[in-house]
Amino acid sequence: MKLDVNVLRYLSKDDFRVLTAVEMGMRNHEIVPSELVDRIAGLKHGGTYKVLKNLLKYKLLHHDRSKYDGFRLTYLGYDFLAIKTLVNRGVFTGVGRQIGVGKESDIFEVAQEDGTILAMKLHRLGRTSFRAVKSKRDYLRHRSSFSWLYLSRLAALKEFAFMKALQEHDFPVPKAIDCNRHCVIMSLVQGYPMVQVKQLQNPETVFEKIIGIVVLLAEHGLIHCDFNEFNIMIDDDEKITMIDFPQMVSVSHQNAQMYFDRDIECIFKFFRKRFNMTFQEDRDEADETEVEVDENSRPSFYDITKDANALDRELEASGFTKKEQNDLDKFIEGEMEKSEDSDEDEESDDEEETCESNEEENLNEMKSLKLQEKEQKSSGGVEEEAELDDNEKGESSGDEAGRDEELDKKLGKQRRRAMAAARGGRKSQSSRNTYKDKGGRSQNSKIHNNMSGGW
């Protein structure tokens, strides 16, 4: 859906009030009921329904009647809410042309009051080309349900946090300005995507810079995971700028080595094809004679030494949490010393806890069965009384036999007694029902009463 900012001129305060009401309702509703929108907006004299009709005309909302009458925000409506908020903050005053489009975002030029041009990135997760985000990214973490607008907001917040932290550590990234909802405002990079570059004055120098960025990121505890020619900007002076990193993970991630090797391979493959560069490994494969392999030709994930001030802990990157870092620090300081004996003690403690829980469950079952027996005695059934007497005899004999034995044997007998009593209770209940159906004592008593009333 194309972003037409001219529509902003025709939207009033009531329109944005209703848009905000739908956004608030979508926190716990996939489709917000129209009554809830009216109640949250609080417009007088039925003004909410008039505004909804106007918003539908501009495709800022979607009307759904499949289950009930309700509305949900579209990406265009979410764009207008973010742009309105950033304009009110004074971040920018105008929106210009679209300068980029990707599988999960659109990029526009925006102008500040003094004429400075910035870049506005609108995350748009959920496109047909990128609907596997739930399995490929961990934005949801422990959540089971999601909406594409919410995922876009999480991606924008994550990218803004990474951009700000990398900028503080002197990485070649755009300057982070502001963030709201799924919109990120950053400085405009004066350059071209690497994929559009056909020639370079010093391809070897550029290659070394790019590989150095990947290694430096890993030393700070982060892996880009999508480091290729599409996410590298280069200017006329061959200055490198790295962009697009909401998918970064920690070096402690279970697939960290695979992501690191994939980033390195993308760079090697691009420079080999585009600029006809040959590397030490290529010469080794072409030459049949034995040649000493240059170990520094390709960086290895295991040779990287992680910096003490790693960013993955500060940013809570995927695959690494603060709890894991605290446990690691305690282990290094000697506060967490584990041995095989302690592991065995923990296993024995777990077994004791399970035994205690089983004992409590057995006691609870015995109490409930005794209550059932009392109720069955009060019902007055002949067969029930006989069965309960047998159970009581079994219990008394079991108690007398178990007085002189150990605690574990006593619990075993109690468990068998509970199972026998449960089977006895089911039998007595069925016998009571069959007794009534076959015209037992209860029916005979009714007939007797009717006959006595007739006499």
Side-chain angles (χ1 to χ4, degrees):
M1 188 178 298
K2 185 178 180 180
L3 177 62
D4 186 8
V5 293
N6 293 323
V7 179
L8 284 170
R9 301 177 182 177
Y10 308 106
L11 296 181
S12 61
K13 293 182 179 179
D14 292 343
D15 294 329
F16 282 104
R17 189 178 182 89
V18 174
L19 278 177
T20 307
V22 176
E23 181 188 17
M24 294 175 63
M26 288 185 67
R27 292 179 180 177
N28 49 11
H29 291 81
E30 183 179 359
I31 303 296
V32 187
S34 55
E35 296 82 2
L36 182 59
V37 177
D38 184 32
R39 191 160 59 249
I40 296 175
L43 299 182
K44 297 180 180 179
H45 307 296
T48 302
Y49 298 96
K50 297 178 182 178
V51 172
L52 287 172
K53 186 177 180 180
N54 186 37
L55 295 176
L56 287 172
K57 181 178 70 173
Y58 294 117
K59 298 182 180 180
L60 305 182
L61 294 178
H62 175 73
H63 191 198
D64 193 339
R65 295 182 182 177
S66 58
K67 296 181 180 179
Y68 51 85
D69 188 27
F71 299 87
R72 64 172 175 84
L73 273 175
T74 62
Y75 264 118
L76 189 58
Y78 209 46
D79 294 343
F80 281 8
L81 285 173
I83 291 173
K84 180 68 173 178
T85 303
L86 293 171
V87 169
N88 291 339
R89 290 180 186 175
V91 179
F92 59 87
T93 58
V95 179
R97 62 188 179 93
Q98 184 174 358
I99 59 176
V101 59
K103 63 180 183 296
E104 55 179 319
S105 63
D106 290 334
I107 304 174
F108 295 85
E109 287 183 345
V110 292
Q112 290 184 321
E113 191 174 1
D114 58 355
T116 305
I117 305 298
L118 303 176
M120 177 180 65
K121 183 175 182 179
L122 299 173
H123 287 261
R124 300 196 187 282
L125 273 66
R127 286 176 168 167
T128 307
S129 61
F130 194 61
R131 283 189 171 268
V133 62
K134 186 177 179 181
S135 59
K136 294 183 178 179
R137 307 279 174 84
D138 67 332
Y139 298 148
L140 289 176
R141 294 183 183 271
H142 60 278
R143 305 175 185 89
S144 58
S145 60
F146 69 98
S147 67
W148 293 117
L149 296 180
Y150 183 64
L151 282 179
S152 300
R153 177 177 175 271
L154 293 179
L157 291 174
K158 200 167 186 178
E159 181 172 19
F160 183 77
F162 279 125
M163 191 186 308
K164 203 167 185 180
L166 293 175
Q167 175 191 343
E168 293 175 356
H169 288 77
D170 298 329
F171 278 89
V173 296
K175 182 180 179 182
I177 305 297
D178 203 347
C179 178
N180 182 259
R181 293 178 175 88
H182 67 313
C183 177
V184 180
I185 306 298
M186 66 189 81
S187 61
L188 183 63
V189 179
Q190 301 296 333
Y192 318 95
M194 198 74 184
V195 68
Q196 298 179 3
V197 177
K198 303 298 181 181
Q199 293 181 354
L200 288 175
Q201 296 179 357
N202 301 307
E204 293 82 4
T205 305
V206 175
F207 172 79
E208 292 177 358
K209 288 181 181 179
I210 295 175
I211 295 297
I213 293 174
V214 179
V215 175
L216 188 61
L217 273 175
E219 291 177 353
H220 283 75
L222 296 173
I223 298 176
H224 192 282
C225 296
D226 196 17
F227 202 75
N228 50 43
E229 61 271 18
F230 296 94
N231 295 327
I232 300 173
M233 304 290 291
I234 186 170
D235 58 6
D236 296 333
D237 297 331
E238 297 185 352
K239 181 181 178 182
I240 301 299
T241 304
M242 177 178 57
I243 61 172
D244 191 16
F245 28 77
Q247 69 284 336
M248 276 189 172
V249 300
S250 169
V251 292
S252 301
H253 195 276
Q254 58 181 356
N255 298 324
Q257 181 186 0
M258 184 269 291
Y259 290 135
F260 180 83
D261 293 340
R262 187 177 67 179
D263 290 347
I264 295 294
E265 178 61 27
C266 287
I267 303 303
F268 271 76
K269 185 177 180 180
F270 174 74
F271 275 85
R272 185 184 295 115
K273 289 184 176 181
R274 180 64 57 87
F275 305 107
N276 297 323
M277 289 183 61
T278 57
F279 304 100
Q280 183 67 32
E281 54 186 10
D282 298 334
R283 291 193 293 268
D284 295 341
E285 292 177 358
D287 194 358
E288 295 180 357
T289 59
E290 295 183 358
V291 180
E292 294 183 0
V293 180
D294 186 6
E295 296 180 356
N296 297 324
S297 60
R298 182 184 290 264
S300 176
F301 178 76
Y302 297 104
D303 295 338
I304 295 173
T305 57
K306 187 176 177 181
D307 192 357
N309 299 322
L311 295 175
D312 53 352
R313 176 185 178 182
E314 178 184 350
L315 299 173
E316 296 185 14
S318 174
F320 198 85
T321 60
K322 288 184 178 180
K323 181 179 180 301
E324 293 174 348
Q325 179 64 33
N326 293 333
D327 294 342
L328 182 62
D329 294 340
K330 291 180 181 179
F331 181 79
I332 294 174
E333 293 173 1
E335 296 179 6
M336 293 180 62
E337 295 180 354
K338 295 183 179 180
S339 61
E340 295 179 356
D341 296 334
S342 63
D343 293 337
E344 294 176 356
D345 294 336
E346 289 178 0
E347 292 177 358
S348 61
D349 293 339
D350 294 336
E351 293 177 357
E352 291 178 0
E353 290 177 359
T354 54
C355 292
E356 291 176 0
S357 62
N358 292 331
E359 293 176 5
E360 293 177 358
E361 291 178 357
N362 294 329
L363 293 175
N364 293 330
E365 290 179 358
M366 291 294 295
K367 291 180 181 178
S368 61
L369 290 171
K370 287 182 179 180
L371 292 175
Q372 291 180 3
E373 292 172 0
K374 290 181 181 178
E375 293 176 358
Q376 292 170 1
K377 284 182 180 180
S378 62
S379 63
V382 178
E383 294 179 4
E384 290 177 351
E385 292 177 358
E387 290 175 355
L388 290 173
D389 291 338
D390 294 336
N391 292 331
E392 289 176 357
K393 290 179 181 179
E395 290 176 359
S396 61
S397 62
D399 294 334
E400 292 175 358
R403 290 173 183 173
D404 299 334
E405 294 183 3
E406 297 178 355
L407 181 61
D408 54 348
K409 295 182 180 180
K410 186 176 180 180
L411 290 174
K413 288 191 175 184
Q414 288 179 353
R415 191 179 301 108
R416 290 193 295 272
R417 248 192 344 267
M419 294 173 62
R423 288 194 295 270
R426 288 194 292 269
K427 290 180 181 178
S428 62
Q429 188 175 3
S430 62
S431 63
R432 181 177 61 185
N433 294 333
T434 55
Y435 182 80
K436 288 182 179 180
D437 295 336
K438 292 181 180 179
R441 185 177 59 187
S442 60
Q443 294 182 359
N444 292 331
S445 62
K446 291 181 181 179
I447 295 171
H448 178 72
N449 293 333
N450 292 331
M451 293 175 66
S452 61
W455 290 338

